[in-house]
Amino acid sequence: MATSTLTKLATRVRYDILHMTTEAGSGHPTSSLSATDLLTGLFFGGTFRFDLDHPQNPCNDRIIFSKGHASPLFYALYAAAGVLSQEELLTYRRMGSPLEGHPTPRFAYAEAATGSLGQGLGIGVGIAMNGRYVDKLPYNTYVLMGDSEVAEGSVWEAAELASQYQLDNLVGILDVNRLGQRGETMLDWELETYEARFAAFGWHTIVLEDGHNIDAVQAAYGEIDHACGRPTVLIARTVKGKGVSFLENQDGWHGKTLKREEFDRAVLELGPIDLNLHGAIEPPVQAVPAVWAPVPVDQPVSAKALSPREAYGRALVDIAPTHPGMVVLDAEVSNSTFAATFRNAYPERFFEMYIAEQNMVSAALGFSTRGKMPFVSTFAAFFSRAFDQIRMAQYAMDRGNIKFVGSHVGVSIGPDGPSQMGLEDIAMFRTLVGSVVLYPADDTATTALVRQMADHHGICYMRTTRQDLPRLYETGEEFPIGGSKTLRHSDDDRVTLVGAGITLHEALKAADTLAAEDINARVIDLYSVKPLDMATLHKAAAETAVVITIEDHYAEGGIGEAVAAALSDVATPVFSLAVCKLPMSGKPEELLAYEDIDAAAIVRRVKEL
Amino acid sequence: MATSTLTKLATRVRYDILHMTTEAGSGHPTSSLSATDLLTGLFFGGTFRFDLDHPQNPCNDRIIFSKGHASPLFYALYAAAGVLSQEELLTYRRMGSPLEGHPTPRFAYAEAATGSLGQGLGIGVGIAMNGRYVDKLPYNTYVLMGDSEVAEGSVWEAAELASQYQLDNLVGILDVNRLGQRGETMLDWELETYEARFAAFGWHTIVLEDGHNIDAVQAAYGEIDHACGRPTVLIARTVKGKGVSFLENQDGWHGKTLKREEFDRAVLELGPIDLNLHGAIEPPVQAVPAVWAPVPVDQPVSAKALSPREAYGRALVDIAPTHPGMVVLDAEVSNSTFAATFRNAYPERFFEMYIAEQNMVSAALGFSTRGKMPFVSTFAAFFSRAFDQIRMAQYAMDRGNIKFVGSHVGVSIGPDGPSQMGLEDIAMFRTLVGSVVLYPADDTATTALVRQMADHHGICYMRTTRQDLPRLYETGEEFPIGGSKTLRHSDDDRVTLVGAGITLHEALKAADTLAAEDINARVIDLYSVKPLDMATLHKAAAETAVVITIEDHYAEGGIGEAVAAALSDVATPVFSLAVCKLPMSGKPEELLAYEDIDAAAIVRRVKEL
């Protein structure tokens, strides 16, 4: 496309940015204007290849607005491409409109939700890894980043992984407009420092001194080398608010919209605007995604009970033949989480993500947006490192189909001490809308629940216990999501003990002790922490005098509160035994006793009541 | 100290590392051995300056083992310094011993808890900022890092801030032993790549080709320039397991201890060991910490009710004269959180931490370990970015005296959409042992609660509403932590409505509507979400037929579950109105209605019951 046409398109994009934000009364026009020429060039200059009629065409290039607050630009580009009308644009930020304040997949062309800064490049890493190593398709992935957001460490996690995996199908576009929300960025317009950083992280760098010169922009895209074995970053000097004299390079205009009279002035400055002018986007290079047909691996059932974490690794191998969309990611602890069992069987679908949990989760989301089902494992405690990324994955809606598995849960891991103990993972994953939280108490349950997770579309979390736990269930036992198992019951149960994982075994021991003293206790295995088996819990509450929950997790947001809330409409009291004191190093049994969550503590509590 | 003596000390340190881990049966000897010569040189070669008798001497240099799993080395150094006996060393990892699996301040020489990798440099940044800008003392801060952990983005957040603040009193020691937990690191022994990365992030770099040559180690420390305006990193090639032939550079030995017979063989290899040999540590350079005596700023009470976030900024200014230990940190959104109000009044105690929340929290912990009281603010949603750092701060025990303040909470922020909505912050901060969680409903309460937080030693969190909220309380009203306010009550209340923040106002409106229909509702302002006012809640449960909680937060781990758990022993039913559907952009009032947490929804729910 001729430079003059691209320039005209950029002008119409600018008009739409100003128009929709003034109409909405909120939004980020100046952050959009700085990247307008870069993105207009990308979309309509022949670099970006996309089938607008089929946004899920697997061969499409992908674009992620990591600086999600530049959403007016994002939507204006699709208006310029002819797939959004002026009327639709003016629904920006209104309730029910797909054009949200920050992009989400309610808008069909948004790959994922952005708006928490520094996450887009990691999503791009996952999409690019999928293209290179899984689907084996020639598409490219572009990520628009702001300069403020590269202060986020997650950007550098993504950067190092991208070069480690030689993702030359990944392109970052860095909009260096010098101004953050409340003033100057750390690096101002020091393009050479950005260049040195990305180069040191193994990237091919292209520096563009004027990100508003359409010819220079086009020339820069021409320098991208998709065969150089390195990801590329285009580092462009831009002007925040570009195109409107009283906005350009001015502090104090971040996240502010123009009043009507300011808008009118701005439009006069833009010059002639042709809303009938549309740009064409190149179609994608068509190819066929690779098909994975893993050969089943024979894994006889172990005679000896395995730890849940070990059972997890074997279960991954078991399900591969029926779940060819799966990929497995781990943060440099696969020998502890037992994801290594899968890696050994199917190395082509295992990705080492090193000790960079934020990027691991964002990359998993990237895989997931491309229709893959990532299993993502690390120590449960370390998922807290990526809570923001996990939180954002839910806003990707049905594109966030990720299975999280956290090992080393609870004080019962023992001598390694509190830094390694997952004690808030249930609380964290329960907050997600529609999430599933599972907690198996033996290897049979683990195996069954891995398959349940794989067959359930959406975000799931499973916590796996480090220790060998006695086997409670025979092979073939079913564990539906939302179910529970009642392991002890009688017609005259006086108390209900609700456990999961390691505390279920303590509850069983306590029930045996109590039975010897003629106190019958019902024992429930609450393997599905979310959703809860409401019917069984209500029945137990109706049939016993008291319900006691026991969990190797902090009290807040854990099993106890979940059950208390579920039973808040019945008169039966619910008591919680949970981790309430700051833990320390020690032997597992010492720590369970210290926190009053072992069998002896349960017996004591029952007798008190 | 002579090289020969340092060498002998290193040998004794190696012996202790092996001895204590073999005795404990767990731990990380090989990760300790790789850094032994680097740290022995640092401690006893005259570089590190520390008053062993007074670990809290403000002039002491500080050392942080960011690779916390090298704790055997950490403890062995203090044994070599003469402050730990062999008997004490052999309590390593035992219940009740200060020598935990990963260091915590139960050991007096540990500055903070480490063990979640990649956090030590950020803590060091805070300590170094304190030395340079607050206490104005000549101490230096050293951080031992592993090569695997610099994959964590938090390291690069710390690196960029350290150069931004010209922290030439900060020294990183990078132990490049090439092997992570499950195999090779991304960069193997590519010292030049590490060097390029730190140099690009503005650091003075020193490369040491043999981190086991004591003379070379000493020479490298001699190259540190504490007046160059840049932090220094010493990048050392080391060998994992150094000193024991069958451990050196071997994969598969991470986190494994020697069996007794292997230990005996290893000791033979080490050669003569002199457990009576102790090293001397240079005393600190004595100086007097700067005193801050802020001049009070006159801020008349606003006639108009302010938003809680705006009241927060003013309250910070109010408390400064009585809290000269305070510092204020913000992640590039101070004009939104209103931390800017403090910055404008007292720029010398305000630190811009840019969009790097993980490092902001770690640095706050660093300030806190030096006796300062950091107020740390960003959008509530973005504290999820630093959950791991927040989690680790609690394990610093009484050194973790941080006040977190999150703005932009709930769906009621409106058009910006879900990425910007804090909806899991209460759940997150409630999990911390001993934490305080506050949620003011007007500007008076905000002002009072900021002072409460400042006067309470420990981790506190306050969520501040974005909108202007009507003023409910007169100046001078007291808001003790653990209290509540009953704003509507009568002798025949039929229902209790528990709200906080914006939903309290909805509850009040609902109560008015219900009153018009002769349904009396008690209304409680639950401004202290943790700890709860148990007496008032129990009284309300006893005196009304039903308790309804209303919150602009996800149901899980929020106010509803906290209250349900608190009232789980009484028969009165508790119902929760909370955010349960995936939110979107919209007007605040539309979103409150959509989530069924506005006055109309409360009235509907009461009538249903």
Side-chain angles (χ1 to χ4, degrees):
Chain A
M1 193 172 285
T3 301
S4 62
T5 311
L6 288 173
T7 303
K8 283 180 196 158
L9 279 167
T11 302
R12 102 155 252 171
V13 166
R14 287 196 156 88
Y15 172 82
D16 281 341
I17 289 168
L18 297 172
H19 193 195
M20 75 175 91
T21 52
T22 289
E23 178 71 19
S26 69
H28 299 78
T30 58
S31 307
S32 297
L33 293 171
S34 63
T36 293
D37 303 296
L38 291 168
L39 271 288
T40 302
L42 180 77
F43 268 54
F44 305 115
T47 300
F48 185 59
R49 306 183 70 114
F50 197 90
D51 173 359
L52 283 169
D53 293 334
H54 302 97
Q56 290 307 313
N57 181 332
C59 298
N60 281 343
D61 286 348
R62 300 286 154 189
I63 173 81
I64 297 148
F65 266 53
S66 186
K67 52 176 289 186
H69 54 291
S71 59
L73 169 59
F74 190 53
Y75 305 135
L77 288 163
Y78 290 94
V83 295
L84 277 179
S85 68
Q86 288 293 303
E87 292 66 36
E88 287 169 317
L89 276 189
L90 297 185
T91 66
Y92 177 55
R93 290 179 166 242
R94 288 204 196 139
M95 184 97 173
S97 167
L99 310 186
E100 296 206 69
H102 294 74
T104 74
R106 291 183 205 272
F107 181 58
Y109 298 97
E111 305 296 331
T114 53
S116 181
L117 291 169
Q119 300 192 15
L121 196 62
I123 298 169
V125 164
I127 296 176
M129 289 173 79
N130 179 70
R132 172 61 42 83
Y133 299 106
V134 177
D135 279 347
K136 298 176 184 173
L137 288 171
Y139 69 76
N140 294 308
T141 303
Y142 298 88
V143 180
L144 174 65
M145 293 179 281
D147 49 353
S148 279
E149 74 170 312
V150 299
E152 289 283 15
S154 51
V155 172
W156 301 102
E157 293 183 6
E160 72 200 0
L161 260 286
S163 63
Q164 176 74 7
Y165 279 98
Q166 305 178 1
L167 300 177
D168 52 21
N169 54 351
L170 178 66
V171 178
I173 301 167
L174 184 57
D175 174 22
V176 186
N177 68 22
R178 196 184 78 79
L179 290 172
Q181 171 174 324
R182 53 78 263 155
E184 283 184 19
T185 62
M186 273 186 278
L187 296 180
D188 199 76
W189 270 321
E190 286 179 36
L191 302 187
E192 66 285 5
T193 304
Y194 289 111
E195 183 181 25
R197 292 185 183 180
F198 275 98
F201 276 72
W203 285 54
H204 171 48
T205 58
I206 301 168
V207 172
L208 180 54
E209 292 293 341
D210 180 0
H212 303 295
N213 178 323
I214 286 280
D215 286 328
V217 167
Q218 291 304 95
Y221 289 128
E223 285 180 50
I224 297 170
D225 179 357
H226 289 303
C228 71
R230 285 183 294 158
T232 295
V233 63
L234 174 61
I235 300 163
R237 185 187 201 273
T238 63
V239 174
K240 199 161 177 171
K242 178 71 180 183
V244 180
S245 61
F246 54 95
L247 300 179
E248 284 188 5
N249 198 25
Q250 295 299 307
D251 211 352
W253 271 102
H254 182 96
K256 278 200 191 156
T257 58
L258 301 188
K259 299 192 191 74
R260 181 58 61 176
E261 66 275 18
E262 292 167 332
F263 170 75
D264 292 340
R265 262 205 291 151
V267 171
L268 284 178
E269 287 195 17
L270 292 180
I273 292 141
D274 181 359
L275 292 177
N276 292 318
L277 177 70
H278 291 118
I281 295 180
E282 283 289 308
V285 179
Q286 286 299 330
V288 178
V291 173
W292 190 52
V295 177
V297 173
D298 188 34
Q299 298 186 110
V301 174
S302 165
K304 167 179 160 292
L306 303 174
S307 67
R309 61 180 175 140
E310 193 167 354
Y312 166 63
R314 293 167 55 102
L316 287 180
V317 174
D318 279 344
I319 66 168
T322 50
H323 295 82
M326 71 188 290
V327 294
V328 177
L329 282 63
D330 190 275
E332 228 280 61
V333 289
S334 57
N335 54 338
S336 288
T337 60
F338 280 90
T341 309
F342 180 88
R343 182 196 61 211
N344 295 338
Y346 303 115
E348 67 275 23
R349 283 295 180 99
F350 176 85
F351 297 95
E352 177 57 69
M353 302 305 282
Y354 300 92
I355 309 182
E357 296 82 3
Q358 295 186 83
N359 180 66
M360 177 168 70
V361 173
S362 290
L365 178 57
F367 272 114
S368 179
T369 65
R370 298 312 320 126
K372 301 307 172 297
M373 176 171 62
F375 280 83
V376 180
S377 52
T378 185
F379 286 22
F382 303 143
F383 277 125
S384 62
R385 195 65 157 256
F387 190 14
D388 196 18
Q389 283 76 10
I390 293 166
R391 177 182 80 86
M392 289 299 293
Q394 79 187 309
Y395 300 128
M397 302 191 289
D398 62 354
R399 301 193 191 169
N401 183 29
I402 308 176
K403 317 303 165 182
F404 297 95
V405 178
S407 69
H408 293 67
V409 296
V411 299
S412 56
I413 68 158
D416 272 330
S419 66
Q420 316 295 302
M421 296 171 177
L423 289 165
E424 49 289 290
D425 50 320
I426 292 176
M428 182 169 72
F429 282 101
R430 281 185 66 239
T431 63
L432 306 172
V433 174
S435 64
V436 169
V437 178
L438 305 169
Y439 188 7
D442 80 349
D443 54 356
T444 308
T446 306
T447 304
L449 289 171
V450 168
R451 198 172 284 275
Q452 286 287 320
M453 286 202 291
D455 292 339
H456 175 89
H457 191 93
I459 295 177
C460 299
Y461 173 63
M462 185 168 77
R463 69 186 331 224
T464 61
T465 301
R466 182 172 194 270
Q467 289 92 327
D468 293 341
L469 296 176
R471 187 173 289 159
L472 297 170
Y473 303 103
E474 294 301 312
T475 307
E477 178 90 19
E478 293 191 359
F479 291 81
I481 288 170
S484 69
K485 299 286 175 188
T486 302
L487 294 180
R488 295 273 195 287
H489 66 102
S490 73
D491 291 340
D492 64 339
D493 290 336
R494 292 169 62 191
V495 56
T496 299
L497 304 178
V498 178
I502 200 164
T503 61
L504 177 66
H505 298 270
E506 299 300 316
L508 290 168
K509 282 185 250 173
D512 291 343
T513 304
L514 292 166
E517 302 183 34
D518 284 332
I519 302 171
N520 284 340
R522 182 167 303 185
V523 179
I524 295 174
D525 175 2
L526 201 72
Y527 67 81
S528 179
V529 176
K530 183 182 174 191
L532 287 174
D533 182 349
M534 298 294 275
T536 299
L537 289 170
H538 272 94
K539 183 165 183 286
E543 293 177 358
T544 65
V546 58
V547 175
I548 301 177
T549 60
I550 315 101
E551 63 191 306
D552 195 359
H553 181 277
Y554 286 133
E556 294 85 359
I559 292 171
E561 290 194 353
V563 171
L567 297 178
S568 63
D569 57 342
V570 298
T572 313
V574 180
F575 294 100
S576 159
L577 296 177
V579 177
C580 293
K581 287 180 282 193
L582 209 65
M584 60 186 80
S585 289
K587 292 181 188 157
E589 59 277 18
E590 290 173 334
L591 288 159
L592 290 174
Y594 176 72
E595 297 290 352
D596 290 322
I597 55 173
D598 65 350
I602 298 168
V603 170
R604 273 200 309 278
R605 191 76 178 107
V606 170
K607 289 186 178 171
E608 278 168 27
L609 296 167
Chain B
M1 191 173 287
T3 302
S4 62
T5 311
L6 287 173
T7 303
K8 284 180 194 159
L9 279 167
T11 302
R12 114 160 240 164
V13 166
R14 288 197 155 86
Y15 172 83
D16 282 341
I17 289 167
L18 296 171
H19 193 195
M20 77 174 91
T21 51
T22 289
E23 178 71 19
S26 70
H28 299 77
T30 57
S31 307
S32 297
L33 292 170
S34 62
T36 293
D37 302 297
L38 292 168
L39 271 287
T40 302
L42 180 77
F43 268 54
F44 306 116
T47 301
F48 186 59
R49 306 183 71 114
F50 198 89
D51 173 359
L52 283 169
D53 294 334
H54 303 96
Q56 290 307 314
N57 181 331
C59 297
N60 282 341
D61 284 350
R62 300 285 153 190
I63 172 82
I64 297 147
F65 267 53
S66 186
K67 52 176 288 187
H69 54 291
S71 60
L73 167 60
F74 189 54
Y75 305 134
L77 288 163
Y78 290 94
V83 295
L84 279 178
S85 69
Q86 289 292 301
E87 291 66 36
E88 287 170 316
L89 276 188
L90 297 185
T91 65
Y92 177 54
R93 289 180 165 244
R94 288 202 198 141
M95 184 99 174
S97 167
L99 310 186
E100 295 206 70
H102 294 75
T104 74
R106 290 183 205 271
F107 181 59
Y109 297 98
E111 305 296 332
T114 52
S116 181
L117 291 169
Q119 301 192 14
L121 196 62
I123 299 169
V125 163
I127 296 175
M129 288 173 80
N130 180 68
R132 172 60 41 86
Y133 298 105
V134 177
D135 279 347
K136 298 177 183 172
L137 288 171
Y139 68 77
N140 295 307
T141 303
Y142 299 88
V143 181
L144 173 65
M145 292 179 282
D147 49 353
S148 279
E149 75 170 310
V150 299
E152 290 283 15
S154 52
V155 172
W156 301 102
E157 293 183 6
E160 72 201 0
L161 260 287
S163 64
Q164 176 74 9
Y165 278 98
Q166 305 178 358
L167 300 177
D168 52 21
N169 55 352
L170 178 65
V171 178
I173 301 168
L174 184 57
D175 175 22
V176 186
N177 69 19
R178 195 187 77 80
L179 290 171
Q181 171 173 325
R182 54 77 264 157
E184 284 183 19
T185 61
M186 273 186 278
L187 295 180
D188 199 75
W189 269 323
E190 286 179 37
L191 302 187
E192 66 283 6
T193 304
Y194 289 111
E195 185 182 23
R197 291 185 184 180
F198 275 99
F201 276 73
W203 286 53
H204 171 48
T205 59
I206 302 169
V207 173
L208 180 54
E209 292 293 340
D210 180 0
H212 303 295
N213 178 322
I214 286 281
D215 286 328
V217 167
Q218 291 304 94
Y221 288 129
E223 285 181 48
I224 298 170
D225 179 356
H226 290 303
C228 70
R230 286 183 293 157
T232 296
V233 63
L234 175 61
I235 300 163
R237 185 187 201 272
T238 64
V239 175
K240 198 160 177 172
K242 178 70 181 182
V244 180
S245 62
F246 55 95
L247 300 179
E248 285 187 2
N249 198 26
Q250 295 297 305
D251 210 352
W253 271 102
H254 182 95
K256 277 197 190 158
T257 59
L258 300 187
K259 298 193 190 75
R260 181 56 62 174
E261 65 276 15
E262 292 167 330
F263 170 73
D264 291 342
R265 263 205 288 153
V267 170
L268 283 178
E269 285 194 18
L270 291 180
I273 291 140
D274 181 358
L275 292 178
N276 292 318
L277 179 69
H278 290 117
I281 295 179
E282 284 289 308
V285 179
Q286 287 298 332
V288 178
V291 173
W292 189 52
V295 177
V297 173
D298 188 35
Q299 299 185 109
V301 174
S302 164
K304 165 181 162 293
L306 303 173
S307 68
R309 60 181 176 139
E310 191 167 356
Y312 166 64
R314 293 168 55 104
L316 287 178
V317 174
D318 280 342
I319 66 169
T322 50
H323 295 81
M326 73 188 289
V327 293
V328 177
L329 282 64
D330 191 275
E332 229 279 63
V333 289
S334 57
N335 54 338
S336 288
T337 61
F338 279 90
T341 309
F342 179 88
R343 183 197 62 212
N344 294 339
Y346 303 115
E348 66 275 24
R349 284 297 180 97
F350 176 86
F351 298 96
E352 178 56 68
M353 303 304 281
Y354 300 92
I355 309 182
E357 296 83 2
Q358 296 187 82
N359 180 66
M360 176 168 70
V361 173
S362 289
L365 179 58
F367 273 115
S368 179
T369 67
R370 299 311 321 126
K372 300 307 171 297
M373 176 171 62
F375 280 82
V376 180
S377 53
T378 185
F379 284 22
F382 303 144
F383 277 125
S384 63
R385 195 64 158 254
F387 190 15
D388 197 18
Q389 283 77 9
I390 293 166
R391 178 182 79 88
M392 289 298 293
Q394 78 187 308
Y395 300 129
M397 302 192 289
D398 62 355
R399 300 193 191 168
N401 183 30
I402 308 176
K403 317 302 166 186
F404 297 95
V405 178
S407 69
H408 292 67
V409 298
V411 298
S412 55
I413 67 160
D416 272 330
S419 65
Q420 316 295 302
M421 296 171 177
L423 288 166
E424 49 288 291
D425 51 319
I426 292 176
M428 181 169 74
F429 281 101
R430 281 185 65 239
T431 65
L432 306 173
V433 174
S435 64
V436 168
V437 178
L438 304 170
Y439 189 7
D442 80 350
D443 54 354
T444 308
T446 307
T447 304
L449 289 172
V450 167
R451 197 173 284 275
Q452 286 287 319
M453 288 202 290
D455 291 339
H456 174 89
H457 191 93
I459 295 177
C460 299
Y461 173 63
M462 186 167 77
R463 72 187 328 227
T464 60
T465 301
R466 182 173 194 271
Q467 289 91 326
D468 292 342
L469 295 176
R471 187 172 289 160
L472 297 171
Y473 302 104
E474 293 300 311
T475 306
E477 178 89 19
E478 293 192 0
F479 291 82
I481 288 171
S484 68
K485 299 285 175 189
T486 302
L487 295 181
R488 295 274 194 287
H489 66 102
S490 73
D491 290 339
D492 63 341
D493 291 336
R494 293 168 64 189
V495 57
T496 300
L497 304 178
V498 178
I502 199 165
T503 61
L504 177 66
H505 297 271
E506 298 300 315
L508 289 168
K509 282 185 250 172
D512 292 342
T513 304
L514 291 166
E517 304 183 33
D518 284 331
I519 302 171
N520 283 341
R522 183 167 301 185
V523 179
I524 295 174
D525 175 2
L526 202 72
Y527 67 80
S528 179
V529 177
K530 183 182 174 190
L532 286 174
D533 182 349
M534 298 294 274
T536 298
L537 289 171
H538 272 94
K539 183 165 183 285
E543 294 176 358
T544 64
V546 58
V547 174
I548 300 176
T549 61
I550 313 101
E551 63 193 304
D552 194 0
H553 181 278
Y554 285 134
E556 294 85 0
I559 291 171
E561 290 194 353
V563 171
L567 297 178
S568 64
D569 58 342
V570 298
T572 313
V574 180
F575 295 99
S576 160
L577 295 177
V579 177
C580 294
K581 288 179 281 192
L582 209 65
M584 61 186 79
S585 289
K587 291 182 190 157
E589 59 276 17
E590 289 173 334
L591 287 158
L592 291 173
Y594 176 72
E595 298 290 352
D596 289 321
I597 54 173
D598 65 350
I602 298 168
V603 170
R604 273 199 309 278
R605 191 78 179 105
V606 170
K607 290 187 179 172
E608 277 167 26
L609 298 166

